[in-house]
Amino acid sequence: MSVRHFLTLLDLSPAELNGLIDRAITLKAMHRRQEPHDFFHGKTLGMIFEKSSTRTRVSFEVAMNHFGGASIFLSPRDTQLGRGEPIEDSARVLSRMVDAVMIRTFSHSTVETFAAHSAVPVINALTDDFHPCQLLADIQTYVEHRGSIQGKRVVWVGDGNNMCNSYINAARQFDFELVVSCPEGYEPRADLVERERGRVTIERDPRKAAEGAQLLVTDVWASMGQEEEQASREKAFADYQVSPALMDCAAAEALFMHCLPAHRGEEISHDMLDDPRAVVWDEAENRLHAQKALLEFLLIGPR
Ligand code: CP
Ligand code: NVA
């Protein structure tokens, strides 16, 4: 069988993704019970980071520790990747030594090129276009708090960025409705919106968008690599802050998520993360459990 990669949520079938969420919940319970699950003795995860990270790095490293395996942090600053060694060559070499590779980078084509030349599974740990690992944690968190997300109304508020694009893929794979509330000029990828016509809509007014929503999600206004646009983005997104007042427009049982890091006073109000509807700390923890399920799936197969 050819090697499986996880570059976007579309690399796994809806049934495989739902199985993975169930497994993440099981692995979390095993971890809570301190039940050993060290299935990966002698296995190594290579972790290439061309952008900063707290949650992604720690969750993958801890996942490999819990599994009895190891991880290697690789930054372009001190590998030949930073000195221009081609991605193709790096993929061929690294995949002869490690058992899986996780990459956080800028262009999505970098992870595609790496995967095309890798003999082992490649995981997208965030590109400019997608952040699929975060979506596994988000869906797990929703399921734990409210049950299946199928048929629910999910509202994305803010920038049509990598997270928003991944929410569009998630809407398709987990079968929910997605409303994107963003200012003009900051829409998610047009091809994705077009592909999911009927399931994904754009509503400029965040209060209207939030009506009847079961989940509200937002993210920073300026993503990594867009730092110089901070000032212009603060102006463009001024009406798109998520606050307890905006949450009040949503359904009574609505939850709030944010992949973090968050900027209080920008995309969220100062009090949003203290609101009981915010489940961001569970969401952050679930990166660990969901990625364990993903690593197992890619290295061993469905459990
Ligand atoms: N949410 C997320 O991916 O966080 P980090 O950038 O800290 O990894
Ligand atoms: N959209 C953000 C997500 C960070 C986890 C970024 O790309 O910087």
Side-chain angles (χ1 to χ4, degrees):
M1 209 186 79
S2 66
V3 61
R4 301 282 301 267
H5 302 295
F6 185 65
L7 307 188
T8 75
L9 288 169
L10 304 192
D11 286 331
L12 269 62
S13 69
E16 287 172 334
L17 287 169
N18 280 303
L20 204 145
I21 300 299
D22 289 346
R23 180 62 180 165
I25 292 169
T26 301
L27 284 164
K28 184 174 182 174
M30 287 169 76
H31 177 59
R32 291 276 197 274
R33 293 194 298 266
Q34 298 188 346
E35 211 172 294
H37 47 284
D38 46 348
F39 318 125
F40 282 177
H41 278 293
K43 301 260 189 228
T44 306
L45 173 70
M47 307 196 308
I48 300 174
F49 279 97
E50 298 192 324
K51 288 178 175 172
S52 305
S53 169
T54 297
R55 280 144 288 268
T56 305
R57 176 175 177 182
V58 173
S59 53
F60 271 111
E61 281 198 26
V62 172
M64 288 308 289
N65 283 343
H66 288 178
F67 277 144
S71 54
I72 307 177
F73 176 78
L74 299 159
S75 115
R77 215 190 304 241
D78 39 38
T79 61
Q80 300 291 2
L81 273 165
R83 296 182 62 252
E85 182 167 11
I87 302 291
E88 294 86 336
D89 295 357
S90 304
R92 289 184 184 105
V93 171
L94 286 173
S95 71
R96 283 186 177 218
M97 299 182 194
V98 302
D99 300 280
V101 178
M102 176 243 84
I103 309 177
R104 169 168 285 197
T105 188
F106 293 84
S107 168
H108 191 70
S109 65
T110 301
V111 293
E112 291 176 333
T113 304
F114 196 102
H117 295 87
S118 171
V120 301
V122 175
I123 297 169
N124 174 4
L126 183 146
T127 61
D128 289 344
D129 284 7
F130 297 104
H131 193 8
C133 290
Q134 183 67 51
L135 262 292
L136 297 178
D138 287 21
I139 303 299
Q140 180 188 344
T141 308
Y142 190 88
V143 169
E144 285 175 344
H145 283 268
R146 296 286 184 265
S148 173
I149 198 163
Q150 186 172 27
K152 297 293 193 306
R153 177 178 168 94
V154 177
V155 176
W156 176 270
V157 181
D159 191 18
N161 62 12
N162 45 8
M163 275 297 299
C164 183
N165 290 335
S166 283
Y167 261 90
I168 295 177
N169 281 345
R172 176 192 181 96
Q173 298 294 71
F174 291 97
D175 190 22
F176 58 80
E177 180 199 352
L178 180 69
V179 182
V180 177
S181 192
C182 62
E184 264 185 73
Y186 295 94
E187 292 81 8
R189 259 176 47 177
D191 59 320
L192 303 181
V193 177
E194 178 57 25
R195 193 195 68 202
E196 300 307 325
R197 208 150 36 117
R199 183 189 293 288
V200 175
T201 51
I202 297 196
E203 166 54 62
R204 300 290 173 199
D205 180 349
R207 295 176 65 86
K208 262 197 209 149
E211 273 170 28
Q214 276 102 4
L215 171 64
L216 258 80
V217 196
T218 193
D219 187 13
V220 291
W221 289 342
S223 285
M224 289 181 276
Q226 298 172 332
E227 289 77 7
E228 72 291 349
E229 295 174 34
Q230 179 68 30
S232 58
R233 284 173 170 266
E234 277 180 26
K235 263 194 211 129
F237 288 103
D239 296 333
Y240 290 83
Q241 184 181 83
V242 180
S243 62
L246 184 64
M247 290 297 296
D248 289 344
C249 301
E253 71 280 12
L255 296 175
F256 170 71
M257 293 191 201
H258 187 313
C259 64
L260 307 178
H263 295 77
R264 290 169 177 83
E266 293 182 29
E267 78 276 4
I268 53 164
S269 60
H270 284 277
D271 52 356
M272 189 59 239
L273 297 191
D274 304 317
D275 188 282
R277 291 165 287 191
V279 289
V280 295
W281 313 121
D282 290 342
E283 183 188 2
E285 178 192 333
N286 284 340
R287 293 293 303 278
L288 170 64
H289 311 297
Q291 284 156 205
K292 275 173 149 175
L294 174 66
L295 286 164
E296 249 193 359
F297 178 88
L298 293 174
L299 290 173
I300 304 173
R303 301 290 290 234

